[in-house]
Amino acid sequence: MNLKQKLLVASLVLGFSQAAVAADPIKIGVSGPFTGGSAPMGVSMRDGVKLAVAEINAKGGVLGRSLLLIERDDEAKNERGVQIAQELINKEKVAATVGYINTGVALASQRFYQEAKIPVMNNVATGSIVTKQFADQPENYIFRNAANDTIQSGMIVHEAIDNRKFKKVAILADSTNYGQLGREDLEKALEKKGIKPVVVEKYNIKDVDMTAQLLKAKQAGAEVVLTYGIGPELAQIANGMEKLGWKVPLIGSWTLAMGNFIDNAGKNGNGTRMPQTFIQDASTPKRKAFIDAYVAAYKPSGGRMPSAVSAAQGYDSIYLLAAAFKQAGGTDGPKVRAALENLTDKVEGAVTTYNKPFSKTNHEAITAELTVFGEVKDGKVVLAK
């Protein structure tokens, strides 16, 4: 083989190598609880994420590269979330991660992404502090496309105090970071209205009897019960009211829309209200397409998504990241962060069409204007009237 032939072979080998590199998939981590009490949220989120990836890959991927999901079950445990974050960063070399259902897991885990300069898109966790954890640093890699607890607590209090004119309010919140931070947000929102709750009670995950807490609320003359919790224990509040023969309105955070609340509470859940970014209603062509695709792919019982909000926000989180990868021209963390902070193209999602959803100082894609009240009615969530 002469020198000219050797150079030709070498150039071909180099070309093939470069093509292989260009064709390498873009890895995206997916972290959430796919087992346990928070699983309806985690699985719905993951399924929404998978739908978006399938759609994008069917159209050629992003920058000629397919998207590859690396899924991990964090079991709603802080320590497990930390392990997963380190694995996804150091072993899997993900370009970004989506997920986090539980505020505590997010706060414990996302510091590793911040240090590695890898974007995180929180698509379900709502603790107000989540996107502000590193806001004092020059670059913040933590983003969110879910309605934070400041938005939700303000809406809950406005509904109870301004719209329905209640004066005596009880708060029941679970003992998780999510529950207690949400409870603090509720108390702050009530204080702005000049209202002090007549009872503030806490309960633990896996508690099956809320009688003691509800009796205190009833004896204090509470006219409404406000809740902040993440699991099926919420149904025990509605069922406990029925046992006591005490029926007052139940208004709480978005998790009251979960299938395990609706199913376990049964008729006792009717009338319960909660903030929602997405209700399983084909109110727009995009929402109809998303709902139809989800139901066809996953065949949920009775055609009802276990957690419609989680599914829709999971779906949208991938489209937001894909737009950032495209704008950044690759997966370099700082460039993707900068692209997210100044997205030039609109991104059509299931929740909304996002138009410059983030900025350097605001990493929250969801506003109060995008959030509505849902109401449990005969086994499903409908738009409250």
Side-chain angles (χ1 to χ4, degrees):
M1 185 182 293
N2 60 34
L3 179 60
K4 190 172 183 180
Q5 289 173 316
K6 289 179 180 178
L7 289 173
L8 177 60
V9 170
S11 66
L12 287 172
V13 169
L14 179 60
F16 287 138
S17 175
Q18 289 174 333
V21 170
D24 282 349
I26 298 173
K27 290 185 176 182
I28 300 175
V30 187
S31 183
F34 308 138
T35 56
S38 296
M41 296 180 283
V43 171
S44 296
M45 177 274 292
R46 180 187 64 187
D47 289 346
V49 164
K50 290 164 71 173
L51 269 185
V53 167
E55 290 177 0
I56 291 168
N57 285 344
K59 296 176 181 178
V62 178
L63 302 172
R65 300 167 64 183
S66 63
L67 302 181
L68 176 63
L69 298 177
I70 311 297
E71 304 170 21
R72 294 292 183 269
D73 181 3
D74 64 33
E75 304 170 25
K77 296 177 181 177
N78 295 3
E79 64 275 14
R80 178 69 180 139
V82 166
Q83 293 170 352
I84 289 170
Q86 293 172 317
E87 178 190 354
L88 292 177
I89 293 166
N90 299 319
K91 180 181 177 182
E92 298 294 345
K93 309 294 184 184
V94 296
T97 282
V98 300
Y100 294 126
I101 305 300
N102 308 86
T103 293
V105 179
L107 294 175
S109 307
Q110 59 191 19
R111 68 180 186 274
F112 297 100
Y113 293 97
Q114 177 70 17
E115 291 169 0
K117 298 185 177 181
I118 295 173
V120 173
M121 186 67 68
N122 281 273
N123 52 24
V124 180
T126 59
S128 297
I129 194 176
V130 165
T131 58
K132 300 175 183 176
Q133 192 175 12
F134 309 106
D136 60 341
Q137 298 186 17
E139 297 177 349
N140 181 7
Y141 286 81
I142 313 304
F143 296 81
R144 173 161 49 196
N145 65 305
N148 66 49
D149 289 339
T150 300
I151 291 172
Q152 292 189 66
S153 60
M155 289 180 65
I156 293 165
V157 168
H158 179 73
E159 172 71 8
I161 306 303
D162 297 327
N163 291 350
R164 301 173 78 169
K165 310 301 181 185
F166 296 125
K167 301 296 183 184
K168 293 184 177 182
V169 176
I171 297 176
L172 270 66
D174 72 26
S175 58
T176 66
N177 281 347
Y178 170 74
Q180 292 305 300
L181 290 171
R183 186 260 309 157
E184 290 178 8
D185 286 334
L186 281 177
E187 291 188 279
K188 290 176 185 175
L190 285 168
E191 187 177 7
K192 290 179 181 178
K193 304 285 185 183
I195 300 289
K196 184 176 181 179
V198 294
V199 165
V200 177
E201 286 292 314
K202 181 166 64 175
Y203 61 89
N204 297 316
I205 297 299
K206 297 185 179 179
D207 279 357
V208 295
D209 187 355
M210 303 293 176
T211 302
Q213 294 96 325
L214 290 170
L215 272 175
K216 290 181 182 178
K218 181 181 179 182
Q219 291 166 356
E223 301 168 308
V224 62
V225 173
L226 310 184
T227 67
Y228 244 90
I230 61 173
E233 298 78 18
L234 290 165
Q236 302 304 331
I237 298 174
N239 294 337
M241 287 181 175
E242 172 71 12
K243 290 176 184 177
L244 291 174
W246 180 54
K247 183 64 176 176
V248 297
L250 192 61
I251 308 171
S253 60
W254 75 274
T255 49
L256 285 167
M258 286 171 57
N260 57 12
F261 168 78
I262 296 170
D263 292 338
N264 293 336
K267 64 180 178 60
N268 299 327
N270 280 342
T272 299
R273 290 192 173 191
M274 75 300 290
Q276 299 281 274
T277 59
F278 181 88
I279 291 171
Q280 191 176 342
D281 177 28
S283 54
T284 68
K286 180 66 176 180
R287 288 190 170 193
K288 184 180 187 307
F290 167 70
I291 293 167
D292 289 347
Y294 186 101
V295 172
Y298 305 113
K299 298 176 175 57
S301 177
R304 188 193 68 199
M305 299 177 187
S307 176
V309 167
S310 303
Q313 291 171 179
Y315 179 88
D316 288 6
S317 68
I318 292 296
Y319 274 98
L320 288 165
L321 277 178
F325 291 146
K326 181 181 177 182
Q327 185 172 313
T331 58
D332 176 72
K335 290 182 180 178
V336 174
R337 173 198 53 76
L340 282 168
E341 291 177 342
N342 187 31
L343 285 173
T344 54
D345 292 338
K346 292 181 180 179
V347 178
E348 187 180 17
V351 172
T352 189
T353 295
Y354 301 87
N355 184 14
K356 295 190 180 298
F358 306 113
S359 69
K360 176 74 173 176
T361 57
N362 179 25
H363 284 195
E364 303 277 2
I366 301 297
T367 63
E369 290 71 29
L370 293 174
T371 313
V372 299
F373 262 104
E375 180 176 315
V376 177
K377 183 178 181 181
D378 300 329
K380 62 181 181 180
V381 175
V382 299
L383 183 65
K385 295 179 180 178

